[in-house]
Amino acid sequence: EPEEAAVRIGRRVVETMQARTEHGYVFRIDLRLRPSPEITPIVLPVDAAISYYESQALPWERAAFIRARACGGDMALGIGFLNAVRPFVWRRGLDFGAIEDVRGLSRRIRDHYAQGQTFGPGYDLKRGRGGIRECEFYAQIHQLIHGGREPELRAPATCDALAALASAERIGAEQAASLAEAYRLYRRIEHRLQMVDDRQTHSLPTEPDALEGVAKLDGLADGAALLALLQPHVDAVGGIYDALDGDARESLPEAGSALEDRLHDAGFPDPAHAAQRIAHWRSGGVRAVRSPAARAALEAVLPQIVAALGSAQDPQRAILQLSTLIERLPSAVNLFRLLEAQPALLGLLTRILIHAPTLAEALSRRAELLDRLIDASAFDPPGSIAALAIEMAVKADVEEQFDHVRRIVGEHRFALGVQIVEGVCDPLDVAAGYARVAEAAIQIVSDAAVTAFEAAHGKVPGGELVILALGRMGGAELTHASDLDLIFLFTGDFSTESDGSRPLGGTMYFNRLAQRVIAGLSVATAAGPLYEVDTRLRPSGTQGPLAVSFDAFAKYQAENAWTWEHMALTRARCVYGSADARVALDGIIAKTLATPRDPAALHADSIKMRADMTTHKPPKSELDVKLLPGGLVDLEFAIHVTQLTNRKSFNPHLAGAIAALGDAGLAPATMADAHCLMTRLLVVLRLVAPDLQTPDPATCALVANVCGASDWPQLLDRLAAVRQDVSRYWHQVAEE
């Protein structure tokens, strides 16, 4: 049988390699790193090994695989196996639990080899405190934490790993240099030890003469010189490694008055209620804190959690929000370990829980979103569309590509939301950042869908898919909750067929392809949701085909489009397609918008549309800056009617259109400030008050601050003033 044959071959290889003859031996073989070595055969089926690593492998086995490579036999099979277990080794989320896992292994090694821990004769160079293992473990701990997100840190050799970690600023350059220097010295002395009698030993000799012999092999005078050479390195490595444990942290009392006293001292106005929340976490009734590892991680960070929540403006609300987050998570181990390792994140998490329910909900689905906030770069605006597209693109099948896009988009949207909560970025810049992220996602998802579709159906000669964005996406000013208003178009002759093995007519081809793109952008997967896509602005609305040709689009706009469709077209912007297609589409739009029209009919249509909108979609509250009288919709109507009436100042970016109309004397100068204030408020409220109800006082203060007001009353006064300005402008335009 194959299993038995493989075991016999493996045994023969081992015997051949380590059998001693008159010529010596080749190498010693250690088979103890295989899964469950005490009960498994020396050769395992690949599928059985993969199953083991996916379900029950131990933390030290992850560290061991950092240095794994295929080195013999069926190399392709070996490489395939390593690729299959890569997600087990390199976890995408920052895994600060690795510190405790590997530290626990280190403590067990120290206990087991207790006789080699004391520095001096008999010291174990490999397993002793400050020795070879601790150099390796220090590098591997940081590789396991960060290597899932930073492939450049996955170097198998210890010195290379230390250099990569220092280059990425994951460890200090001095620490890396100290560890690397010690490691090279240890390995050199280890060679000297093993040159004596060809023994596999790592311990310095206890006999003075033997110790002196090893020293002289290294060119040193005597054993004392050897110890003097080693000791500063042993002390340095031991100190660096021990610092991973940090300072000893106090524990939180289990229950009763002692716990309530601590909570009262921390700032909780109702310590009994807070104690009930903590007791609930500790009870084992919460799925995310049910395992021993999760409970241990919780206890380790609880004192810090209590201190952070107690210092919040509303401690009771903060602890309730955190409790909701924990109860929604499948496992909270990594969240607790992350907070323990990065205490500064606790304050940020508290502010997110109090001010931004939208972000808190995202965290309940993907706690690893906090990982991105460790780097200061998380508070920088997203890069260009091209840079974001490169980050989102992976060489994978279409479903893996879609999942990857969802992860990257989720991380960027979360980080942009946090920038608002922290008040480090203008909401207008955040809105532009949301739009760049969305446009990059459209490009990558569309590319992946096109590639997969062409593999099945070929290409339509002379045809390509083109995507036109309108609304807030066209104007590149999205909120956290914005959907994407898109129109799908195609070039070429709709009567032709694709050239693949399963040909389709041109119209059916691009309609099905558009459906694939929409599914890629909107269908939620294990990696989370992406965007809602709204295609109702396409020619003939929901009654028309999903994708139409350029010729059909141009004809519809010239002969059949309603006034509101031309108003929407003023914010149209091509977000997917070749350069030639974009130029051609821009020409169709420019020609449509430049067409002379009857001002009276235009004004009558716009007034009726606005009245219908008020009837069917009234404002939700006094904070609905979009739909309130004098709000953003009134401003947009006034600007678009002015543009179409005068056939000038067309710009998909509303701020640019307002500026151009202002320069032409066609819009009041106050409209620029009105647009900025209401857009800022819209972006912030979509994040912190998605129901558009007045938030609690602490969040009101945050909203006022990021919108440039001294306090909430001043913000409301400014909003009332700009709404009056917009109402006057809209009525002026409508009555002309």
Side-chain angles (χ1 to χ4, degrees):
E1 292 296 319
E3 291 85 351
E4 182 181 354
V7 170
R8 289 188 180 187
I9 293 169
R11 188 177 295 121
R12 184 72 60 83
V13 170
V14 172
E15 291 172 352
T16 302
M17 291 284 280
Q18 65 182 15
R20 290 180 179 271
T21 70
E22 67 273 19
H23 302 295
Y25 66 96
V26 184
F27 279 107
R28 299 180 186 89
I29 307 296
D30 188 345
L31 302 174
R32 292 172 296 175
L33 290 180
R34 71 183 187 275
S36 304
E38 66 281 356
I39 59 172
T40 55
I42 64 170
V43 181
L44 294 177
V46 167
D47 289 344
I50 292 173
S51 176
Y52 170 84
Y53 288 118
E54 288 179 342
S55 61
Q56 54 185 305
L58 299 173
W60 64 264
E61 291 174 297
R62 291 181 60 204
F65 264 93
I66 292 175
R67 304 174 74 174
R69 64 184 174 93
C71 66
D74 187 333
M75 296 293 285
L77 181 64
I79 293 170
F81 168 73
L82 292 176
N83 288 336
V85 299
R86 185 183 297 127
F88 149 73
V89 182
W90 304 111
R91 297 175 182 172
R92 180 165 179 80
L94 296 179
D95 187 7
F96 284 91
I99 292 181
E100 182 57 32
D101 292 337
V102 181
R103 285 288 295 167
L105 174 61
S106 181
R107 286 190 287 269
R108 291 193 294 276
I109 290 173
R110 286 182 178 180
D111 292 343
H112 188 74
Y113 296 96
Q115 70 278 9
Q117 298 302 309
T118 303
F119 184 74
Y123 171 71
D124 191 322
L125 270 178
K126 183 174 183 179
R127 306 176 186 92
R129 177 187 178 275
I132 291 171
R133 272 281 187 265
E134 295 189 357
C135 293
E136 295 172 339
F137 283 173
Y138 190 87
Q140 290 166 0
I141 284 171
H142 290 87
Q143 287 178 289
L144 291 175
I145 292 172
H146 301 287
R149 298 173 65 92
E150 301 176 54
E152 64 274 13
L153 302 182
R154 300 176 187 177
T158 299
C159 290
D160 291 345
L162 291 168
L165 288 163
S167 178
E169 298 184 352
R170 295 303 179 190
I171 64 175
E174 292 183 4
Q175 293 172 322
S178 179
L179 291 167
E181 183 181 1
Y183 189 74
R184 293 188 183 94
L185 172 63
Y186 296 158
R187 286 302 193 186
R188 192 177 82 226
I189 302 303
E190 182 186 40
H191 291 321
R192 309 300 187 221
L193 289 171
Q194 295 181 2
M195 288 165 66
V196 179
D197 298 330
D198 197 22
R199 290 194 311 118
Q200 189 182 16
T201 182
H202 310 283
S203 298
L204 298 178
T206 55
E207 296 298 322
D209 290 346
L211 184 63
E212 183 174 333
V214 173
K216 289 187 174 180
L217 280 174
D218 198 53
L220 300 171
D222 51 29
L226 176 59
L227 294 176
L229 175 65
L230 288 169
Q231 182 157 15
H233 295 282
V234 170
D235 292 341
V237 172
I240 292 171
Y241 190 77
D242 287 342
L244 284 173
D245 266 349
D247 299 329
R249 294 187 177 93
E250 58 182 336
S251 61
L252 201 68
E254 282 294 322
S257 59
L259 175 58
E260 291 188 19
D261 288 345
R262 282 285 298 277
L263 293 169
H264 179 271
D265 293 342
F268 287 88
D270 187 353
H273 182 266
Q276 289 177 357
R277 289 289 93 202
I278 293 172
H280 181 52
W281 302 340
R282 286 168 158 173
S283 67
V286 180
R287 176 184 58 168
V289 201
R290 193 167 291 161
S291 69
R295 289 197 295 272
L298 170 64
E299 293 299 332
V301 77
L302 253 183
Q304 296 164 267
I305 289 177
V306 166
L309 299 184
S311 63
Q313 290 173 307
D314 188 346
Q316 296 300 131
R317 182 169 176 232
I319 198 168
L320 282 174
Q321 293 290 86
L322 178 60
S323 191
T324 300
L325 169 62
I326 292 172
E327 289 168 11
R328 288 177 176 174
L329 291 173
S331 173
V333 174
N334 280 344
L335 173 64
F336 294 147
R337 293 299 187 199
L338 174 63
L339 296 176
E340 181 186 13
Q342 300 286 330
L345 283 182
L346 262 169
L348 177 55
L349 174 60
T350 301
R351 292 189 289 277
I352 289 171
L353 294 174
I354 289 178
H355 298 303
T358 306
L359 299 183
E361 183 181 350
L363 276 178
S364 70
R365 294 191 301 266
R366 290 183 60 200
E368 67 271 17
L369 288 171
L370 276 177
D371 297 350
R372 190 180 187 92
L373 305 184
I374 292 175
D375 294 330
S377 61
F379 297 103
D380 295 336
S384 65
I385 295 167
L388 288 165
I390 291 171
E391 184 181 4
M392 292 180 193
V394 292
K395 293 180 180 179
D397 64 39
V398 65
E399 297 305 324
E400 290 177 348
Q401 175 64 83
F402 288 172
D403 278 350
H404 182 69
V405 169
R406 278 162 172 72
R407 284 192 291 269
I408 299 301
V409 168
E411 291 172 5
H412 278 291
R413 290 171 78 186
F414 184 80
L416 284 164
V418 172
Q419 290 177 17
I420 291 176
V421 172
E422 293 294 274
V424 298
C425 197
D426 187 330
L428 296 179
D429 294 331
V430 171
Y434 283 136
R436 291 198 301 279
V437 171
E439 188 165 346
I442 290 170
Q443 290 185 13
I444 298 303
V445 166
S446 299
D447 282 346
V450 167
T451 299
F453 203 74
E454 289 178 349
H457 302 288
K459 298 180 179 181
V460 173
E464 66 169 294
L465 182 71
V466 181
I467 302 176
L468 186 66
L470 302 98
R472 303 201 69 81
M473 182 61 201
E477 278 186 338
L478 294 185
T479 71
H480 193 89
S482 290
D483 56 13
L484 306 181
D485 291 311
L486 303 178
I487 294 177
F488 291 87
L489 305 167
F490 61 89
T491 62
D493 184 355
F494 69 90
S495 65
T496 58
E497 281 194 341
S498 62
D499 57 10
S501 58
R502 293 155 55 192
L504 294 172
T507 299
M508 181 177 290
Y509 180 99
F510 286 109
N511 273 268
R512 288 191 181 179
L513 176 55
Q515 290 172 344
R516 295 284 184 91
V517 173
I518 291 172
L521 287 169
S522 60
V523 175
T525 70
L530 203 54
Y531 296 101
E532 292 292 328
V533 176
D534 189 341
T535 60
R536 291 175 296 177
L537 291 176
R538 68 185 186 269
S540 301
T542 56
Q543 304 303 313
L546 186 58
V548 300
S549 69
F550 271 26
D551 290 343
F553 179 73
K555 183 177 181 181
Y556 177 85
Q557 294 296 336
E559 300 176 4
N560 303 109
W562 295 76
T563 297
W564 65 265
E565 292 177 288
H566 285 174
M567 291 173 65
L569 208 60
T570 62
R571 302 188 74 182
R573 182 170 61 89
C574 187
V575 293
Y576 185 77
S578 67
D580 289 344
R582 290 174 186 245
V583 169
L585 183 55
D586 288 345
I588 294 172
I589 294 170
K591 182 178 179 181
T592 300
L593 296 178
T595 301
R597 59 194 76 237
D598 180 357
L602 172 61
H603 292 132
D605 287 346
S606 64
I607 292 169
K608 183 179 183 304
M609 283 187 293
R610 185 66 185 98
D612 289 344
M613 183 179 292
T614 301
T615 301
H616 296 103
K617 199 173 183 181
K620 295 180 180 179
S621 73
E622 287 302 308
L623 292 181
D624 195 341
V625 294
K626 184 175 179 181
L627 296 175
L628 282 169
L632 281 168
V633 169
D634 280 357
L635 176 59
E636 291 167 4
F637 265 63
I639 293 299
H640 299 332
V641 170
T642 303
Q643 290 173 304
L644 292 174
T645 300
N646 295 277
R647 289 179 286 158
K648 64 190 308 181
S649 303
F650 294 112
N651 188 330
H653 304 285
L654 198 61
I658 291 171
L661 289 175
D663 291 342
L666 296 172
T670 55
M671 290 304 99
D673 288 341
H675 169 258
C676 289
L677 176 64
M678 289 193 289
T679 301
R680 286 190 178 100
L681 191 52
L682 179 72
V683 172
V684 178
L685 289 176
R686 285 286 189 265
L687 188 72
V688 304
D691 58 359
L692 294 181
Q693 300 305 306
T694 302
D696 66 272
T699 303
C700 284
L702 180 149
V703 175
N705 178 62
V706 297
C707 290
S710 59
D711 54 29
W712 184 250
Q714 187 195 54
L715 177 62
L716 295 182
D717 289 344
R718 288 180 56 192
L719 176 61
V722 300
R723 283 177 54 203
Q724 289 179 357
D725 290 340
V726 170
S727 290
R728 280 193 295 269
Y729 176 42
W730 164 233
H731 289 130
Q732 174 189 335
V733 170
E735 291 170 1
E736 287 180 352

